[in-house]
Amino acid sequence: MIPSYPEEFSYRPPFILRDRFTNFSAYIGSIPGYLFPTVILVIFDYYKKQQETAVLLEQKKTTELNALKNQLNPHFLFNTLNNLYALSLKKSDKTSEVIAKLSEILDYILYQCKDTFVPLKNEVILLHNYIDLEEVRYGDRVKVRFTKKISEDAKIAPLLLLTFLENAYKHGVVEELHIAKIDIFVTGNSKEIEFKIENSKPTFTKNDNRTEREPIGLNNTINQLNLLYPGAYQLDVTNTKELYRVHLKVKTNGV
């Protein structure tokens, strides 16, 4: 009895290692003896160049990442020192508190962000410290809601989320004459991280002639994402008259 098969049918014979070695040996055997050393040198040179190219690409990637971090850090420091200066002019009792908090933040940025990826929980602590600093400056003018659900093995590129929080204060709080709102949501595990931040935008401001500006550091953040998570992230930005929202999803795959 002849067996029947579906109309589309493909068959792949089992891999026979012996046959592969036989064919390769036959190929090597077909090379004239006087050319054999040359062929070996060509193959060796090819793999050596491949390795050198991989090393150069990795060095280029590291250099670009360090350059991006160096652009972020001075901006953050500049804003914080401005806050500290304003408090010192008022001879505020909170000046020493701000100095201590700033010292803690700088310690993290300068000494704990050297790795390509850091625990997500450390980045969340950084966000909380930043919020504490801004709370000293703005007091009850800002309502912040922070929701998080993080596993111990979740990791992310350092300082990636801080830029979005800076933008929320810069464009949603500084010029607000009434109550500003910031909502933050972070969840993460070893495979995926999701981050949402939404800030209200001022309806009445001190400067009615202001022009809409590109959020600070956004291009740097996108460059970091492209370098560290190529094809593995989704960044959605919503910008209306009432609010500014950022929604970031990153596939970490256990980095």
Side-chain angles (χ1 to χ4, degrees):
M1 180 177 179
I2 300 176
S4 59
Y5 297 101
E7 292 182 0
E8 295 186 5
F9 177 79
S10 62
Y11 172 75
R12 184 175 182 179
F15 176 81
I16 302 176
L17 190 61
R18 182 183 65 256
D19 293 344
R20 292 293 179 90
F21 276 122
T22 301
N23 294 336
F24 181 74
S25 299
Y27 172 75
I28 293 296
S30 66
I31 300 176
Y34 64 90
L35 290 179
F36 188 78
T38 303
V39 172
I40 295 299
L41 287 175
V42 169
I43 294 175
F44 177 78
D45 185 62
Y46 170 78
Y47 282 107
K48 183 179 179 181
K49 287 182 178 179
Q50 289 290 97
Q51 291 178 338
E52 290 175 349
T53 301
V55 170
L56 289 174
L57 288 175
E58 186 63 28
Q59 290 176 346
K60 180 176 181 291
K61 177 180 175 181
T62 301
T63 301
E64 291 177 356
L65 284 172
N66 288 336
L68 290 172
K69 288 180 182 179
N70 290 335
Q71 291 178 43
L72 288 172
N73 295 353
H75 178 268
F76 168 76
L77 181 60
F78 176 78
N79 280 349
T80 307
L81 289 176
N82 269 347
N83 295 349
L84 184 59
Y85 177 69
L87 289 173
S88 65
L89 289 179
K90 298 177 182 178
K91 301 186 184 301
S92 172
D93 295 335
K94 294 183 177 181
T95 303
S96 59
E97 177 186 344
V98 172
I99 292 175
K101 189 67 66 173
L102 175 59
S103 176
E104 185 177 347
I105 291 175
L106 291 179
D107 177 75
Y108 176 76
I109 292 177
L110 295 175
Y111 301 110
Q112 301 180 45
C113 292
K114 295 181 179 180
D115 295 332
T116 305
F117 301 101
V118 297
L120 178 59
K121 63 180 182 180
N122 292 353
E123 289 293 296
V124 169
I125 292 174
L126 175 66
L127 297 183
H128 275 295
N129 286 338
Y130 185 91
I131 292 171
D132 290 342
L133 275 180
E134 296 290 28
E135 185 178 350
V136 173
R137 180 182 181 186
Y138 295 108
D140 295 334
R141 282 181 52 198
V142 187
K143 301 296 182 183
V144 180
R145 183 172 60 181
F146 203 136
T147 305
K148 55 187 179 295
K149 185 178 180 181
I150 303 168
S151 63
E152 289 291 326
D153 54 357
K155 289 189 175 183
I156 194 171
L159 308 180
L160 196 63
L161 305 181
L162 180 61
T163 299
F164 299 124
L165 182 59
E166 285 185 275
N167 283 331
Y169 277 95
K170 180 71 174 179
H171 299 285
V173 179
V174 173
E175 296 183 341
E176 177 61 77
L177 298 179
H178 301 297
I179 302 298
K181 295 180 180 179
I182 299 176
D183 288 333
I184 306 170
F185 172 83
V186 184
T187 181
N189 52 48
S190 62
K191 295 182 179 180
E192 184 179 56
I193 290 173
E194 183 175 5
F195 175 79
K196 298 179 186 177
I197 184 167
E198 177 181 311
N199 63 270
S200 59
K201 296 175 72 174
T203 51
F204 300 98
T205 68
K206 301 174 184 178
N207 180 16
D208 291 332
N209 296 322
R210 75 188 191 284
T211 56
E212 192 73 18
R213 292 168 293 178
E214 182 73 16
I216 52 176
L218 184 58
N219 289 334
N220 285 344
T221 302
I222 292 175
N223 288 337
Q224 279 187 289
L225 288 167
N226 288 333
L227 285 170
L228 293 170
Y229 305 103
Y233 77 91
Q234 179 180 344
L235 178 64
D236 297 316
V237 177
T238 303
N239 189 6
T240 69
K241 291 182 179 180
E242 294 79 22
L243 62 86
Y244 188 88
R245 181 191 301 122
V246 172
H247 186 192
L248 174 65
K249 285 186 177 181
V250 178
K251 297 287 185 181
T252 58
N253 295 323
V255 295

